[in-house]
Amino acid sequence: MSEVLTLLPERLLEQIEPWTPWDRRAWEPGTVLTLRELSEAIAWVPEGVLSSGSVDWFRQETRSRIGQDSGLAAGAVRQQLDEILRSPIRAESQAHRRFDELIRFLSKSYLENWREQCAMNPDLVNLERASRHISSHVIDTGYSPDWLRKKTQQLIRDKASALDILDEYIELTRQKPKLFDGFVLVHNAPDLQLLVKQENWVSHAETKHRLENAGVEVSELNFVGSLWFKVPALDERSAAEEVEERLQRVVVRSSFRRGSGRIEFGSNFYTRQGPMRFSQARRGIEMPNLTQAVYAPPSDDAIAAALDDALQLASPILSARSTSAVAGAWAAIESLLVTGHDSSDRLIGRAIAADRASTVVTASWPRAELTRLAYRVLGNSSTNPALKGELEVTKSAKLLLANTVLTWIERGTPFHFKDARDRCAELRMQALVRNPYAVLGRVKRYTTSSFRRLYRQRNMILHGGSVRPIGVGATLRTAGPLLGVVIDRLTQAHAQSGFRPLQAVAHAEVAIASTRDGTSSYLSTLSGP
């Protein structure tokens, strides 16, 4: 069997898992959702919410992306899409209407096209591109990543092949939303007399009866009643997320009432399938350098204070509603990476912060991958014993670990990974060593697109008053972990080298450009010492 098809199931699962580390995640949503986002962005230009320049950049970037997507139909359909994307599209023009029709047409057979490519020409399939496009497409149709993770895990346990999994995904994307009903406990409710008048109110006695029928021990539960919900969704986890969103709206409205106290809900959505705990997902965000100073007092250092301010601005992304999370995330990036004194700031606008943030991420990616591989070797008895012995000597220093792994990859020595995910990472690093400038260029392009998506979503929310733009959920899923990398690496650059944020960006720009001659020896130090 082709190595691509052997590795694809685990790589798909890795891309789906909400906690996958940032360097191994998908950094963009699927192609079909991206096309829908572009159509939405075009419609905002006449309103003055998005500039024609930013949407034109988005159009050109999307056109370059679809050229290598095997999920798009070949022949006349792809040609039509390319022709439309070749020129600017005006809102409500015939080209705009044709574009929307093409999106609907393409989405019908997207996964079928990928399956055909994997079945007919597996050796021509790019593993990373396939796993990213396929996993993102299924999530973008409306499935919860956590539910899809469990589904994929079960398929892998049942020894399903890559093609079997694609068949299952195809069937999933054909499903229509179904109704999920259940109730949420109300622990406290100021002005309870107003709440009991609502159609979906369930009394204390009836709530207790339903809990007991569900086998729930009620003696230690404190509640005044519950609210009943019936929501359309593709899976029970997505249904719980929709209910949580509705509850958050109730909380916001009740916060503006007079008097003390606030409405408080339970943490479970009780359905016929069982209780679904509301998500407290942190969106895969890690900031290891910041955790070293988590209890430090406020600093007199202006740069350290600015970095901490950015962290405070970004904090809603951990758990808050999507609107607050998007606004705070972009504010954090802009506060660090836009000065207003630079000619680039005036020429490109505040979107330049997205380009600079992606530079930090791109420079950080090789060391993150190499270091993670080093730890995987140290914790795995089946890997190359000579490499493991060498790493044991240097394991106290992350940079030395990364350098050691890089040296072995440059030599072409096999690591003997049995774990499919680690083998995928090894293949990515081998590709990086063979052509560092080209690979880093692709990483830069993907991550720039991710940060610019965050900027567009922010503008649609704050300037357009759109609470639910099409891509807001996908934006937080993909850009959230990258935001953590930016703040964390800028903090490290200041602590270790005294770099200001824009100085750290300049260092990364020079380091990335230095790989143009094919040199790979410094890949582990692109983001600094």
Side-chain angles (χ1 to χ4, degrees):
M1 181 187 292
S2 163
E3 185 177 28
V4 170
L5 295 186
T6 301
L7 298 175
L8 184 56
E10 278 292 339
R11 186 63 178 131
L12 284 168
L13 180 57
E14 188 173 35
Q15 298 277 24
I16 291 167
E17 289 175 342
W19 52 78
T20 295
W22 73 268
D23 48 291
R24 294 188 171 191
R25 296 174 71 93
W27 299 322
E28 291 189 281
T31 297
V32 172
L33 179 61
T34 298
L35 293 171
R36 292 176 60 210
E37 281 186 281
L38 177 56
S39 179
E40 180 186 48
I42 291 167
W44 279 113
V45 173
E47 306 295 328
V49 172
L50 299 179
S51 70
S52 57
S54 68
V55 175
D56 198 46
W57 181 94
F58 187 19
R59 174 187 59 79
Q60 295 179 60
E61 180 63 24
T62 302
R63 182 181 175 227
S64 68
R65 166 183 177 148
I66 66 176
Q68 296 179 314
D69 190 339
S70 297
L72 301 180
V77 176
R78 184 187 285 267
Q79 184 178 356
Q80 286 186 72
L81 186 60
D82 184 71
E83 288 174 354
I84 288 179
L85 293 176
R86 195 171 295 168
S87 304
I89 304 172
R90 291 186 178 181
E92 299 185 9
S93 65
Q94 190 64 11
H96 194 187
R97 286 185 280 272
R98 284 183 60 207
F99 183 47
D100 286 341
E101 287 303 315
L102 275 171
I103 296 171
R104 281 189 281 271
F105 188 88
L106 292 166
S107 63
K108 294 178 181 178
S109 58
Y110 183 82
L111 286 186
E112 286 88 337
N113 293 332
W114 266 112
R115 193 212 185 274
E116 181 179 357
Q117 179 71 3
C118 289
M120 301 297 292
N121 302 294
D123 292 330
L124 299 180
V125 172
N126 181 290
L127 174 62
E128 291 301 313
R129 188 177 299 123
S131 62
R132 182 174 67 249
H133 283 310
I134 293 169
S135 60
S136 296
H137 180 78
V138 182
I139 294 172
D140 293 342
T141 58
Y143 286 99
S144 162
D146 194 50
W147 182 89
L148 188 60
R149 168 188 67 84
K150 294 177 182 178
K151 179 73 172 178
T152 306
Q153 277 181 331
Q154 189 58 54
L155 289 168
I156 292 174
R157 290 193 197 102
D158 293 341
K159 308 298 181 184
S161 68
L163 297 180
D164 293 335
I165 292 174
L166 282 174
D167 286 335
E168 187 66 28
Y169 284 177
I170 289 169
E171 187 60 33
L172 287 176
T173 56
R174 290 173 178 167
Q175 300 301 309
K176 302 295 183 183
K178 52 188 176 181
L179 289 177
F180 290 87
D181 55 0
F183 60 96
V184 180
L185 298 182
V186 179
H187 294 312
N188 181 57
D191 298 327
L192 182 60
Q193 69 277 9
L194 297 178
L195 187 59
V196 299
K197 295 179 181 179
Q198 302 305 308
E199 292 182 355
N200 62 334
W201 171 255
V202 181
S203 68
H204 180 277
E206 179 61 22
T207 300
K208 181 180 179 182
H209 176 68
R210 292 180 179 184
L211 286 170
E212 290 173 340
N213 284 345
V216 178
E217 176 57 54
V218 298
S219 60
E220 296 183 4
L221 292 177
N222 178 30
F223 57 92
V224 295
S226 63
L227 290 178
W228 184 267
F229 292 92
K230 181 179 290 186
V231 296
L234 288 171
D235 63 79
E236 58 268 22
R237 171 53 63 189
S238 295
E241 291 169 1
E242 173 61 25
V243 169
E244 185 175 19
E245 174 73 17
R246 295 187 184 188
L247 290 175
Q248 288 174 339
R249 286 172 171 263
V250 174
V251 170
V252 169
R253 289 197 298 269
S254 68
S255 299
F256 287 93
R257 58 175 290 281
R258 291 183 177 180
S260 60
R262 56 180 297 175
I263 191 166
E264 297 175 8
F265 295 104
S267 57
N268 290 308
F269 177 43
Y270 291 92
T271 69
R272 301 177 195 278
Q273 292 77 24
M276 299 296 299
R277 189 169 183 81
F278 292 131
S279 172
Q280 300 297 324
R282 298 173 64 86
R283 298 188 171 112
I285 300 169
E286 299 175 354
M287 298 186 188
N289 290 296
L290 281 170
T291 60
Q292 303 300 316
V294 65
Y295 299 120
S299 174
D300 294 331
D301 185 316
I303 303 303
L307 288 163
D308 190 61
D309 288 346
L311 180 64
Q312 303 307 313
L313 288 170
S315 61
I317 204 168
L318 296 178
S319 58
R321 299 174 69 232
S322 56
T323 50
S324 303
V326 167
W330 180 257
I333 293 174
E334 191 174 304
S335 71
L336 296 173
L337 300 179
V338 176
T339 65
H341 308 300
D342 193 315
S343 59
S344 297
D345 297 11
R346 295 190 294 272
L347 179 65
I348 300 177
R350 294 189 176 275
I352 190 66
D355 301 7
R356 290 169 177 165
S358 70
T359 298
V360 175
V361 172
T362 301
S364 304
W365 177 66
R367 189 193 294 188
E369 286 270 50
L370 292 166
T371 304
R372 202 174 306 281
L373 274 178
Y375 284 123
R376 294 296 294 166
V377 171
L378 287 169
N380 195 326
S381 60
S382 64
T383 51
N384 193 309
L387 171 59
K388 189 172 183 178
E390 194 170 335
L391 289 172
E392 286 285 356
V393 177
T394 60
K395 65 181 181 182
S396 60
K398 290 184 179 180
L399 178 56
L400 294 178
L401 287 174
N403 283 336
T404 301
V405 172
L406 176 61
T407 300
W408 277 66
I409 291 175
E410 288 174 327
R411 293 175 189 164
T413 309
F415 284 36
H416 305 307
F417 280 124
K418 291 184 178 180
D419 183 271
R421 301 184 185 197
D422 295 332
R423 173 59 180 157
C424 290
E426 181 184 5
L427 290 172
R428 289 195 296 274
M429 292 298 95
Q430 288 174 352
L432 176 65
V433 166
R434 284 194 302 270
N435 197 343
Y437 189 70
V439 172
L440 290 174
R442 288 196 294 272
V443 172
K444 178 75 163 64
R445 190 168 69 250
Y446 298 149
T447 54
T448 296
S449 181
S450 185
F451 283 119
R452 287 210 175 200
R453 172 174 287 103
L454 177 65
Y455 186 40
R456 284 194 305 275
Q457 298 294 318
R458 174 261 190 192
N459 287 340
M460 285 188 280
I461 290 171
L462 295 187
H463 300 318
S466 177
V467 178
R468 285 190 174 185
I470 289 172
V472 67
T475 299
L476 293 172
R477 186 180 77 240
T478 54
L482 300 182
L483 168 67
V485 177
V486 173
I487 298 177
D488 194 62
R489 297 304 185 271
L490 292 178
T491 299
Q492 181 186 38
H494 178 63
Q496 293 188 353
S497 304
F499 286 169
R500 293 172 174 269
L502 289 177
Q503 186 180 1
V505 172
H507 174 89
E509 289 172 339
V510 171
I512 293 169
S514 69
T515 65
R516 193 189 299 266
D517 60 3
T519 303
S520 62
S521 302
Y522 303 106
L523 287 172
S524 60
T525 57
L526 294 181
S527 59

